[in-house]
Each structure stands twice: as structure tokens, then as C-alpha cells.
Amino acid sequence: MKALHFDDADFARHYVEDGPGRFVPGYAVMQRMAAQLIAERAPEGADILVLGAGGGLETLALAQVQPNWRFHGVDPSAEMLALAKTVCGPVLSRTEWTEGYIQDAPAGPFDGATCLLTLHFVPDDGGKLETLGALRRRLKPGAPLVLVDLCLDKAASNYDDRRDRYARFALNSGADADDVEATRTRLKEVLHTVPPARNEALLAEAGFKGIELFYAGLSWRGWVAYA
């Protein structure tokens, strides 16, 4: 499902300039870990699929530590992809882009894939499972997927407390108060967050093996799993 606020050029630009690092604990370190985990299985000249690539931040981060990798970024937002091409200017020759969803991506097969800060936009009505299944089908056997997702159980009694904790971290990290409040609202009204165990079950149902938690920051979780 497209997150409509990313179609606004000003919002997209602000997100890239001042977004994830203030809302995601250890954002830069998490990206370095993702690159390391993929490199454990991927060849030197790997082809990497990046789902939710709009903005280009993770593609640039991966490309800077792996100078021979090539990337195919997929995102439904034209505004975010336009920014990604600007952000990835230093490595643009190693990138290709698809405006759309995972079903629109090339068949590959790829040597690795990422789905960072993205799956929580997809409803858990079969959409999450189809997304993960489509990722697996585009990977070579044994290739790694790195998934990082915001894991909040909307049915839990402490849901509002966890949402407040998320907001406090962003405020303490220097995020604008209005941005934080708007994001806190989107958590409830736009995002389709699920608890960590649900993501692990979906990965297994989609056919991934060796599912391993490698990152936890407040309500964010990250796994590596293998096709």
C-alpha cells in the first residue's frame, strides 16, 4: 500500500534530510550491520534488490561500504525515487530504479535484498505475506534478506505507551515536535504494524530459512533470513 504522504515533494525532501536517524535508534549502525550480513553470503559483484528504496539513503549506505555491488531500487513514490537518484549521485552508475511495488521488480535472481522501514506500510491481509514471498522468489537459493520493521502490536494493552516511547525518542533526538506528533498519528492511522513474532511467522511462511534477529531498538526489530 502506498503511503500517500510520501507523494508530497516537501514531505519527501524533509524525510530524506532529517528523518530516519531521529526516529530509528542506531539507524546508521543498523545499515552497516545489514551490509555486513548480506556480504557474508553475497559475491563481490553482487546484485542487490532494495525494496522501499525511495530517498536512496540505504542504497547509498550499502554502496559506500561495498564498491562493487549493483543495486535495483523499488518504490511506489515518484517523488521519493527522484530524491533517491539525487542522493545516490556518487554511485548512480551502479543503480537502477523501478517505480512500483515488489511485483513490478525484475525477476532477478538477486544475490541479496533489503526491506528496511517498509513492511509496516503493507496491510497484514495477505499483503505482507505476498510481499515477502515475492522477495524470496527474486533471490538466488541461500541469498540473504535483511528485514527491519517497526513492530507495534495494535491490540496490546501497552500500545499507546509504546507509541509514546517512540515519540519521546524522536523528540530527544532533535526531531521537530510537529513532525513527531504527525508521525505518532500515522502510526495508528496509516501504518500496519504487527508484533515481532508475526513477522517471524510471515518470513517462515514465505519460505525463508535461518531467520535470525540481529537488531532491536525500542520497538524496531531487524532480521536476516535466507531464501
Side-chain angles (χ1 to χ4, degrees):
M1 174 178 286
K2 181 178 288 192
L4 296 178
H5 49 288
F6 285 117
D7 288 330
D8 179 87
D10 290 337
F11 180 95
R13 184 173 58 255
H14 183 60
Y15 173 87
V16 170
E17 292 174 350
D18 200 35
R22 299 189 189 278
F23 287 84
V24 183
Y27 178 63
V29 175
M30 177 270 287
Q31 290 177 315
R32 294 207 309 272
M33 289 190 289
Q36 177 179 326
L37 291 167
I38 293 171
E40 290 176 354
R41 298 283 187 99
E44 183 178 348
D47 291 303
I48 307 299
L49 178 61
V50 181
L51 181 61
L57 296 174
E58 73 193 73
T59 301
L60 180 63
L62 296 175
Q64 286 175 330
V65 298
Q66 292 292 340
N68 295 314
W69 284 4
R70 297 174 297 273
F71 302 89
H72 195 107
V74 181
D75 198 282
S77 168
E79 294 290 348
M80 291 292 281
L81 283 180
L83 280 172
K85 294 173 186 178
T86 299
V87 168
C88 292
V91 299
L92 198 59
S93 63
R94 293 191 276 139
T95 64
E96 295 181 354
W97 311 90
T98 293
E99 182 182 339
Y101 301 89
I102 185 58
Q103 294 81 4
D104 303 305
F110 292 89
D111 298 295
T114 64
C115 180
L116 308 185
L117 323 188
T118 296
L119 193 63
H120 50 248
F121 290 111
V122 181
D124 192 17
D125 57 359
K128 290 183 189 291
L129 180 60
E130 173 55 27
T131 296
L132 293 173
L135 277 164
R136 183 189 58 76
R137 291 190 294 273
R138 285 164 171 77
L139 290 172
K140 295 177 181 177
L145 166 69
V146 174
L147 168 67
V148 175
D149 198 34
L150 182 61
C151 296
L152 288 166
D153 183 356
K154 291 188 175 184
S157 60
N158 65 350
Y159 172 71
D160 286 332
D161 292 336
R162 292 297 180 92
R163 208 160 48 116
D164 290 342
R165 183 180 291 171
Y166 176 98
R168 282 196 301 274
F169 176 84
L171 287 170
N172 291 338
S173 298
D176 178 81
D178 290 340
D179 289 345
V180 172
E181 184 56 33
T183 301
R184 188 181 181 281
T185 299
R186 282 194 294 271
L187 292 183
K188 193 167 190 177
E189 298 180 357
V190 176
L191 299 191
H192 303 278
T193 58
V194 296
R198 177 58 180 161
N199 273 342
E200 292 178 359
L202 287 165
L203 283 166
E205 190 174 352
F208 286 96
K209 308 295 183 184
I211 301 162
E212 179 183 352
L213 182 73
F214 77 92
Y215 161 78
L218 298 182
S219 293
W220 293 93
R221 296 291 185 274
W223 295 269
V224 61
Y226 303 93

